[in-house]
């Protein structure tokens, strides 16, 4: 039972790390698109970039919400049952 407990703790930590990595990637993508908007001269291209940024902003909000909900303290097996 203790091994399963530790596996679950490690799984949660891994999920949080993966979510943070995705959030970093989304932030980089938004920054890249903003740079492209600044260099673009075509209104249709700018509109396409803005649409993609809106999609990424929604994705960022979901990831931030997931991180906020995953911030519960991790209790070790020994703390819980020791």
């Amino acid at each position: 039972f203790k091994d399963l407990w530790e596996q679950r703790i490690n799984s949660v930590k891994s999920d949080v790390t993966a979510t943070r990595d995705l959030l970093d990637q989304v932030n980089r993508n938004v920054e890249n698109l903003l740079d492209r908007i600044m260099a673009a001269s075509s209104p249709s291209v700018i509109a396409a970039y803005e649409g993609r940024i809106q999609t990424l902003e929604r994705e960022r909000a979901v990831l931030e919400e997931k991180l906020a909900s995953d911030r519960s303290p991790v209790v070790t097996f020994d703390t819980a049952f020791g």
Side-chain angles (χ1 to χ4, degrees):
F1 184 69
K2 185 175 182 176
D3 289 340
L4 291 174
W5 189 281
E6 296 300 323
Q7 286 177 355
R8 179 65 181 137
I9 288 174
N10 290 334
S11 174
V12 169
K13 287 179 182 179
S14 177
D15 289 347
V16 168
T17 300
T19 302
R20 284 186 183 141
D21 290 345
L22 284 173
L23 186 57
D24 289 342
Q25 182 179 0
V26 166
N27 287 330
R28 284 191 305 274
N29 288 343
V30 168
E31 288 178 26
N32 289 338
L33 287 169
L34 289 172
D35 290 341
R36 289 182 184 184
I37 286 174
M38 297 303 292
S41 58
S42 169
S44 61
V45 170
I46 291 171
Y49 289 153
E50 288 172 341
R52 180 67 180 133
I53 288 172
Q54 288 177 348
T55 301
L56 289 168
E57 291 290 345
R58 286 190 296 270
E59 187 176 339
R60 180 185 350 207
V62 169
L63 292 170
E64 287 174 345
E65 185 175 321
K66 183 177 179 182
L67 280 176
S69 69
D70 286 345
R71 294 223 180 248
S72 58
V74 177
V75 178
T76 64
F77 182 87
D78 292 332
T79 302
F81 299 105

